[in-house]
Amino acid sequence: MDDVLQQLVGAILAIVIALAACVAYFWGTNWLLDRVLSSGSSSGDAMTKRDNLRSSIRPWLFLFPALLFLSVYLIYPVFETVRLSLFDGSGRTFVGFGNYAWALGDPNFQRSVLNNVLWLIIVPSMATGFGLVIAVLADRLWWGNIAKSLVFMPMAISFVGASVIWRFVYDYRGEGDLQIGLLNAIVTGLGFPPQAWITMPFWNSIFLMVILIWIQTGFAMVILSAALRGIPEETLEAARIDGANDFRIFFDIMIPQIWGTIVVVWTTITIVVLKVFDIIFAMTNGQWDTEVLANLMFKWMFVNFDYGRGSAIAVVIMLAVLPIMIWNIRRANAEQGTR
Amino acid sequence: MTTAVEQAPAIPRASTGRPSWLAGLTLGRALTHLALLVLVLIWTLPTAGLLISSLRDKDQLAVSGWWTALTTSETQGVTRIGTAEAQVEEGGRYFIRGNVFGTDTNKTVTAFGLSNAAPGAEPAGGSVEMTDGGAITVQADGAFEWASDAPFAHTRGPRIFYVSAIAPRFTIDNYIEVLTASGVGRSFINSFTVTIPATIIPILIAAFAAYALAWMRFPFRGLIVALVVGLLVVPLQMSLIPLLSLYNDIAKLFGATDGKTYLGVWLAHTAFGLPLAIYLLRNYMAGLPREIMESARIDGASHFKIFTTMVLPLSFPALASFSIFQFLWVWNDLLVAMVFLGAQQDKLVLTGKLVSLLGSRGNNWEILTAGAFVTIVVPLIVFFALQRYFVRGLLAGSVK
Amino acid sequence: MSHLKLTDVSKDYGHVQVLKHINLDIVSGEFMVFVGPSGSGKSTLLRTIAGLETITGGTLEIDGEVVNHRAPSKRGIAMVFQSYALYPHMNVFDNMAYALKIANESKDEIKRKVEAAAETLQLSKYLKRLPGQLSGGQRQRVAIGRAIVRDPKVFLFDEPLSNLDAALRVATRLQIAKLHQEMSKSTMIYVTHDQVEAMTLADRICVLRDGMLEQVGTPMELYENPQSLFVAGFIGSPKMNFFNGAIAGKYGAETLGVRPEHLEISDREGSWSGKVIHQENLGSDNFIYIDMGGEEPVVVRADGASHYTTGAPISIAPMANKTYRFDKAGKPIKG
């Protein structure tokens, strides 16, 4: 119990120290800046010059801690990982593209890429699709807000927690035994034999994807629901007066107006899918042909301690993210231009 | 609870004036209700099942689906009766007594028998002749009595098969076991230890940076914004190996065996949360009215003063949004904690603990369900209490 | 003393020139109004004086000192914004006290100044309220109060009445005029696109168009002596009627301008005939729209008691010496 107490005290102390350090840094440097380049005594041109000098230094004082963190924890590692991917497991011998060549020939890697592609096709489309359907349905019903809240709830649940929840749904007992997993209970209730869902190759990947779809649909729904509400009602009314029915209105008027949002939702979920790790790690750890890149990378890093191959796999994930990253940056820049 | 999704201006509906439409419309609306209901059930039943199961008696949990939680379930059991040594003599007769359930009390015997093939041959309270002599009676409460006129001499007790009914029973025993014996309680504290500092530390750092990027003019500003947007999507996997090496090198410098410390995790989570924090806060701050900043400037406020007295208080909603994101993300994280805190039992966070339980107690559903619920209950509370800010943050973070 | 002197002031954003070589003297205690259509650069000009925008050419002097790059807070100015820019999280007292607190004035001094300003503006009851709990007019007064407490050399107003409804606008206009009388030493610069505000408030009006100064002068000078077609059309309501072709030719001008109030219904010799197409009777005045074959109808101000039938022929004539003659370049022809 003592070490628990010590740990809690440590955590509280950390919060206090961190906050104090932040405050001390920001206040301190600003005070120093105003002090060193004070404009009190001088006047006219000299004062103006000092004012300007201060205002060109101050942004960097504000930015410094953030930039430091980003550099050490994100920017430097990106370059270092790329470098390591060109070295062998120990990180000492340069092997060129050896690790990548190995990966291309490795059946586990091939399996992972294939699975990742499947995940990329199925999860974003299903999550976006369900999200859109639920958003549209819920906006028309009086209990829609409750429905949305319930569908949104899995967003708060960890991937691991969700994995346990769904493993319980997929639970399998031998034929003849009473099934306590919901899915097998339904299947046997309909007169079919129960299945060990998690160990059926190919289909088991789909069952793992269901977990992520279950989590991400709420995200898609919330964003798309807001977009749907942002559609000017006049356009819908105009279409109705023009004689369009509900389906025509949905596909001709609503969908085109929220298309940009659909793309944003889709890409956001795509990024999540590319990084998905916890679900596979908790459910199968890559067994029964469910391996994906993130889990494979973790294995090479933590089970085999081969940093070269682990890095190479990480770089492959990064390359997959890169197009979306560039697109995001372009979009952000365009927005800045209009601001 | 449902503030998330504020009152939607309903999509305009066709007027229901014309009778010929009426039939089609009501059918359409009924279908809408039904479709949404089915979807909502799919989204809630798995979690509901977990919660209900975690509160069930562990014997029931193992033999019947959670949807039967309110009904009495039947199971078959077997117990071996004591040997001759257990006999007592009373008035010239010999008895062996006991209870088929041991000490368990919420089950009742409905029938019993002497063979696996016919476990329900005799209803409870009846008696059956034994091959070793005498007759055995099993009561509904499980108490049995084997009586014989001659002393028992068997060395291997015969088996009684029985059919028992388990009355529905809800209990928090699973939680007590999980929190104490399984070490989930410790992990709960570990999760808090990791999460709270990792949520608070980035806020101020990000807020200052966001203000600079939103309201100050300096060279490379656009470039830094683009950098932040880019870093939003960089996979964590890119950072793990170099950071782990870095941590281990630093640990060696201090003579420690490995770099797995809470401090390391806090800093890592701080850094990984910063791109989103800066992006969200910058977007929000840039949307604050320009004239307020200008007015403050004319009033003589420096950037520092404007930040602390204007922007920080006015940005409260965005700060709240980010805090919730960061809290949920850190609490739910598995990868960063595993890499930078390690897998030792005393440092496992809840997600890590749950994975380890999945491995070691994969079929003990009473442990897994209760453990999983302990893991998700804090995020769920945060989520339902602060859903409005959570949704606002999501919208600011992606639709911009 | 607060003499503002703008010499050859220019401002451009990249290739777009928003202010073009502005030369302007604003003397101490003067109420100067910048007026012009949207996009004329009037707001930008005000913001460069405030220091919120830096000028890219020329010099800006306050009391003989060049302040091109000086921080806004060090120019001795106060500004009332169009949206009021009240600090939403501070109550009225704190809003007004903010600048004084930053200037490190003593608590008692701050209290005294804020309460005095609140008294003048009838805000004493609302000092503890947040801006969100005030009406539009009260917010407007807080914004003015915030400027007053700083006792600035120069007051800057950026379209301060445009968010108020018509009745409140008149009342606040009066209040600003009163404020100017009370603080006769302070210079006031006021931006508006509403020429009624300009005419009623200003000591002098500065008409801007496309980033250039069209004319500077007292309201009556601008009304009686417009130095360009643009100013003639901009000042006065309803706007001046312009005639081209034969009618103007008779007067020896390219364009002849006559204000609606300087046209009378008359069929004396030399009168012009047209057809009534519409009338707007405001009670006191009746504005008659007459089609004379030009692109725009000619407007005539007649007595409120009069009545004219739509479609009826009508004859009008300008009053003597109340015509404005302009040449091809839009400049007035003297004599």
Side-chain angles (χ1 to χ4, degrees):
Chain A
M1 217 50 214
D2 261 5
D3 57 332
V4 171
L5 203 68
Q6 206 179 344
Q7 180 182 326
L8 284 178
V9 170
I12 293 165
L13 213 62
I15 298 174
V16 173
I17 291 174
L19 284 182
C22 281
V23 169
Y25 166 79
F26 286 115
W27 263 257
T29 52
N30 269 280
W31 179 81
L32 215 63
L33 184 67
D34 287 340
R35 194 68 193 237
V36 170
L37 292 171
S38 96
S39 53
S41 52
S42 49
S43 67
D45 272 358
M47 174 176 96
T48 303
K49 231 179 212 153
R50 293 191 147 196
D51 279 355
N52 291 337
L53 184 60
R54 274 190 312 183
S55 61
S56 64
I57 293 176
R58 205 183 304 270
W60 299 105
L61 292 182
F62 280 27
L63 278 170
F64 174 73
L67 288 181
L68 182 71
F69 267 107
L70 293 180
S71 309
V72 173
Y73 279 85
L74 287 162
I75 299 168
Y76 150 75
V78 166
F79 292 102
E80 178 67 4
T81 301
V82 172
R83 189 187 71 82
L84 280 174
S85 75
L86 304 174
F87 284 77
D88 73 345
S90 65
R92 277 188 286 275
T93 319
F94 183 76
V95 294
F97 288 98
N99 291 320
Y100 296 95
W102 158 83
L104 288 179
D106 180 55
N108 274 330
F109 180 82
Q110 293 164 356
R111 165 60 56 190
S112 305
V113 170
L114 188 69
N115 279 336
N116 264 102
V117 169
L118 273 179
W119 279 77
L120 280 181
I121 294 169
I122 295 172
V123 176
S125 56
M126 296 299 276
T128 312
F130 276 120
L132 186 59
V133 168
I134 294 171
V136 170
L137 292 180
D139 273 350
R140 304 173 149 228
L141 301 179
W142 58 267
W143 53 285
N145 283 344
I146 301 167
K148 283 200 234 174
S149 221
L150 289 172
V151 173
F152 193 37
M153 182 193 63
M155 276 294 283
I157 297 175
S158 61
F159 286 1
V160 180
S163 298
V164 173
I165 289 174
W166 281 89
R167 210 161 121 152
F168 194 46
V169 172
Y170 297 146
D171 188 72
Y172 167 72
R173 299 285 161 103
E175 214 172 332
D177 282 355
L178 203 58
Q179 299 294 334
I180 67 165
L182 186 58
L183 189 58
N184 270 325
I186 292 171
V187 167
T188 51
L190 294 173
F192 298 100
Q195 302 290 336
W197 309 106
I198 294 304
T199 55
M200 303 164 68
F202 179 72
W203 289 105
N204 54 4
S205 283
I206 305 281
F207 290 119
L208 299 192
M209 290 176 207
V210 166
I211 303 174
L212 192 56
I213 295 170
W214 182 72
I215 293 174
Q216 292 292 325
T217 295
F219 164 75
M221 176 202 69
V222 164
I223 308 276
L224 292 173
S225 171
L228 284 173
R229 269 179 279 154
I231 297 177
E233 253 185 66
E234 286 88 344
T235 61
L236 307 183
E237 283 160 1
R240 180 151 289 125
I241 288 166
D242 283 347
N245 62 26
D246 280 2
F247 279 95
R248 292 297 296 263
I249 290 174
F250 182 71
F251 287 107
D252 296 349
I253 312 294
M254 288 164 78
I255 293 284
Q257 291 195 66
I258 60 166
W259 189 246
T261 311
I262 292 178
V263 174
V264 169
V265 169
W266 193 294
T267 51
T268 309
I269 300 177
T270 299
I271 301 272
V272 176
V273 170
L274 277 170
K275 298 192 253 186
V276 67
F277 159 77
D278 311 29
I279 294 175
I280 286 91
F281 183 76
M283 292 289 280
T284 63
N285 199 13
Q287 285 171 282
W288 307 295
D289 289 351
T290 55
E291 194 67 279
V292 294
L293 287 173
N295 193 54
L296 187 68
M297 184 255 168
F298 189 79
K299 275 184 187 165
W300 279 103
M301 175 183 166
F302 260 98
V303 183
N304 304 331
F305 294 102
D306 187 325
Y307 285 0
R309 289 179 178 178
S311 297
I313 299 168
V315 171
V316 171
I317 301 174
M318 178 74 197
L319 287 177
V321 172
L322 209 56
I324 296 175
M325 184 164 139
I326 292 167
W327 183 70
N328 275 353
I329 293 174
R330 284 225 182 121
R331 224 160 36 101
N333 279 348
E335 261 162 39
Q336 266 190 311
T338 58
R339 192 166 75 77
Chain B
M1 297 271 270
T2 56
T3 43
V5 224
E6 279 138 84
Q7 197 54 51
I11 290 160
R13 292 168 200 125
S15 116
T16 48
R18 272 184 273 175
S20 59
W21 285 28
L22 212 59
L25 258 162
T26 40
L27 182 67
R29 292 201 62 71
L31 278 177
T32 312
H33 279 283
L34 192 69
L36 189 60
L37 189 67
V38 169
L39 287 167
V40 168
L41 281 181
I42 295 175
W43 256 263
T44 45
L45 280 183
T47 320
L50 181 92
L51 175 60
I52 293 170
S53 297
S54 70
L55 289 168
R56 293 181 76 199
D57 185 87
K58 72 178 176 193
D59 294 316
Q60 282 178 298
L61 171 56
V63 296
S64 61
W66 54 268
W67 50 91
T68 63
L70 288 176
T71 60
T72 302
S73 56
E74 271 200 347
T75 53
Q76 296 176 14
V78 60
T79 190
R80 194 174 282 281
I81 296 168
T83 59
E85 282 159 31
Q87 63 183 305
V88 287
E89 191 197 340
E90 285 173 16
R93 282 174 65 101
Y94 298 87
F95 298 95
I96 294 178
R97 297 197 180 92
N99 191 306
V100 292
F101 299 129
T103 54
D104 217 320
T105 51
N106 72 320
K107 296 180 189 173
T108 48
V109 172
T110 53
F112 67 100
L114 296 178
S115 76
N116 197 3
E122 184 70 25
S127 69
V128 173
E129 295 291 320
M130 299 291 280
T131 46
D132 289 343
I136 191 163
T137 309
V138 180
Q139 303 298 335
D141 66 358
F144 65 81
E145 185 181 67
W146 183 8
S148 171
D149 294 333
F152 296 106
H154 61 278
T155 50
R156 193 161 178 272
R159 291 181 297 172
I160 317 179
F161 296 86
Y162 56 88
V163 177
S164 64
I166 312 176
R169 192 165 90 109
F170 292 97
T171 162
I172 56 164
D173 290 351
N174 299 336
Y175 284 95
I176 293 171
E177 178 175 357
V178 146
L179 286 174
T180 54
S182 305
V184 171
R186 177 64 198 257
S187 290
F188 196 78
I189 292 167
N190 291 350
S191 270
F192 266 110
T193 310
V194 170
T195 307
I196 304 291
T199 304
I200 293 175
I201 298 173
I203 293 177
L204 207 54
I205 295 175
F208 269 97
Y211 175 77
L213 293 175
W215 287 105
M216 293 167 109
R217 308 210 159 274
F218 56 93
F220 307 118
R221 186 173 76 151
L223 201 70
I224 294 175
V225 173
L227 180 79
V228 169
V229 173
L231 290 178
L232 272 178
V233 298
V234 167
L236 270 188
Q237 279 82 4
M238 288 299 278
S239 292
L240 298 182
I241 292 174
L243 285 180
L244 194 64
S245 310
L246 189 72
Y247 273 27
N248 286 339
D249 289 349
I250 292 172
K252 254 181 232 150
L253 216 62
F254 286 96
T257 46
D258 61 8
K260 300 192 192 314
T261 60
Y262 282 108
L263 180 65
V265 178
W266 293 330
L267 295 179
H269 273 307
T270 298
F272 296 148
L274 274 181
L276 181 68
I278 297 173
Y279 180 71
L280 268 184
L281 293 177
R282 192 199 82 97
N283 278 352
Y284 188 87
M285 288 175 185
L288 292 174
R290 170 185 221 98
E291 291 194 337
I292 287 184
M293 312 292 162
E294 290 178 340
S295 177
R297 260 174 83 194
I298 290 178
D299 277 350
S302 64
H303 271 300
F304 188 73
K305 198 88 184 170
I306 293 176
F307 176 77
T308 51
T309 59
M310 299 282 149
V311 173
L312 217 47
L314 291 177
S315 299
F316 175 77
L319 297 173
S321 292
F322 166 72
S323 308
I324 297 165
F325 274 135
Q326 180 76 353
F327 181 89
L328 291 180
W329 151 247
V330 175
W331 183 275
N332 288 339
D333 159 78
L334 171 70
L335 187 57
V336 175
M338 270 206 309
V339 173
F340 295 116
L341 205 51
Q344 299 133 284
Q345 284 296 321
D346 63 330
K347 279 188 183 171
L348 272 184
V349 293
L350 276 174
T351 46
K353 184 76 202 174
L354 203 54
V355 169
S356 107
L357 286 179
L358 268 176
S360 62
R361 318 276 298 262
N363 285 317
N364 295 32
W365 279 111
E366 75 280 2
I367 300 286
L368 285 178
T369 53
F373 196 74
V374 170
T375 311
I376 66 178
V377 69
V378 174
L380 284 185
I381 291 170
V382 169
F383 171 80
F384 278 119
L386 302 168
Q387 204 177 23
R388 180 207 309 259
Y389 291 112
F390 186 59
V391 170
R392 212 183 277 174
L394 271 189
L395 293 176
S398 40
V399 189
K400 272 263 165 175
Chain C
M1 272 297 286
S2 45
H3 182 132
L4 254 83
K5 189 173 167 64
L6 283 73
T7 314
D8 207 27
V9 165
S10 296
K11 167 79 186 169
D12 35 68
Y13 297 109
H15 294 294
V16 190
Q17 218 177 359
V18 200
L19 296 176
K20 298 166 190 164
H21 311 288
I22 306 268
N23 288 291
L24 185 62
D25 258 316
I26 302 173
V27 297
S28 194
E30 189 172 26
F31 199 120
M32 171 66 88
V33 173
F34 293 167
V35 68
S38 55
S40 60
K42 57 188 188 300
S43 273
T44 311
L45 184 56
L46 188 78
R47 291 166 59 84
T48 57
I49 293 171
L52 295 171
E53 310 272 353
T54 50
I55 55 181
T56 44
T59 56
L60 170 64
E61 291 167 51
I62 298 180
D63 291 340
E65 238 187 302
V66 177
V67 295
N68 283 15
H69 296 287
R70 190 175 295 182
S73 57
K74 293 179 180 163
R75 296 184 181 198
I77 50 152
M79 185 156 167
V80 177
F81 289 87
Q82 184 171 8
S83 68
Y84 318 144
L86 299 184
Y87 310 132
H89 57 301
M90 297 184 190
N91 64 26
V92 171
F93 182 93
D94 290 335
N95 258 287
M96 297 211 265
Y98 188 67
L100 304 177
K101 280 181 187 162
I102 287 176
N104 280 326
E105 295 208 18
S106 75
K107 268 207 168 136
D108 296 340
E109 189 71 357
I110 292 175
K111 197 162 177 318
R112 192 184 61 74
K113 284 186 180 171
V114 170
E115 277 171 0
E119 187 67 30
T120 344
L121 294 163
Q122 296 127 43
L123 285 169
S124 304
K125 274 190 289 180
Y126 309 112
L127 284 176
K128 290 278 168 269
R129 293 218 192 152
L130 289 176
Q133 301 162 321
L134 300 176
S135 70
Q138 290 163 342
R139 281 182 223 179
Q140 169 67 62
R141 297 211 297 277
V142 176
I144 294 173
R146 211 164 58 174
I148 293 177
V149 292
R150 302 189 53 201
D151 193 20
K153 289 188 282 186
V154 184
F155 275 99
L156 305 177
F157 296 92
D158 189 3
E159 307 212 19
L161 304 186
S162 56
N163 285 336
L164 297 177
D165 62 44
L168 217 49
R169 203 176 294 184
V170 175
T172 315
R173 206 166 67 200
L174 276 173
Q175 198 154 27
I176 292 174
K178 216 174 92 198
L179 186 72
H180 175 51
Q181 282 166 7
E182 283 164 11
M183 310 184 77
S184 55
K185 270 182 282 179
S186 294
T187 308
M188 296 195 175
I189 305 177
Y190 188 105
V191 164
T192 180
H193 60 266
D194 177 0
Q195 50 105 6
V196 179
E197 274 171 39
M199 297 293 282
T200 52
L201 286 171
D203 292 331
R204 279 200 300 160
I205 295 176
C206 166
V207 183
L208 284 131
R209 179 196 185 191
D210 293 340
M212 281 188 293
L213 271 189
E214 281 284 316
Q215 189 175 352
V216 183
T218 65
M220 284 323 281
E221 268 170 31
L222 261 59
Y223 179 78
E224 287 170 349
N225 234 336
Q227 292 302 302
S228 69
L229 212 55
F230 176 79
V231 174
F234 197 79
I235 300 290
S237 172
K239 74 193 273 287
M240 188 186 274
N241 298 299
F242 293 114
F243 303 90
N244 296 316
I247 294 176
K250 246 183 174 170
Y251 286 79
E254 178 67 23
T255 308
L256 181 75
V258 190
R259 296 194 184 276
E261 55 270 36
H262 298 152
L263 281 168
E264 40 191 14
I265 317 287
S266 145
D267 46 8
R268 68 178 144 85
E269 203 187 334
S271 68
W272 310 320
S273 56
K275 227 184 342 180
V276 177
I277 51 173
H278 183 60
Q279 59 176 346
E280 285 176 354
N281 197 329
L282 304 181
S284 58
D285 297 311
N286 189 5
F287 294 106
I288 305 155
Y289 290 73
I290 299 165
D291 179 20
M292 286 183 54
E295 261 179 53
E296 285 180 43
V298 174
V299 183
V300 177
R301 192 183 74 179
D303 192 80
S306 61
H307 180 81
Y308 296 89
T309 319
T310 304
I314 193 168
S315 297
I316 52 174
M319 298 175 187
N321 300 322
K322 296 288 188 183
T323 55
Y324 300 89
R325 298 183 303 151
F326 297 95
D327 62 16
K328 252 199 168 109
K331 294 288 165 214
I333 301 167
K334 303 280 181 225

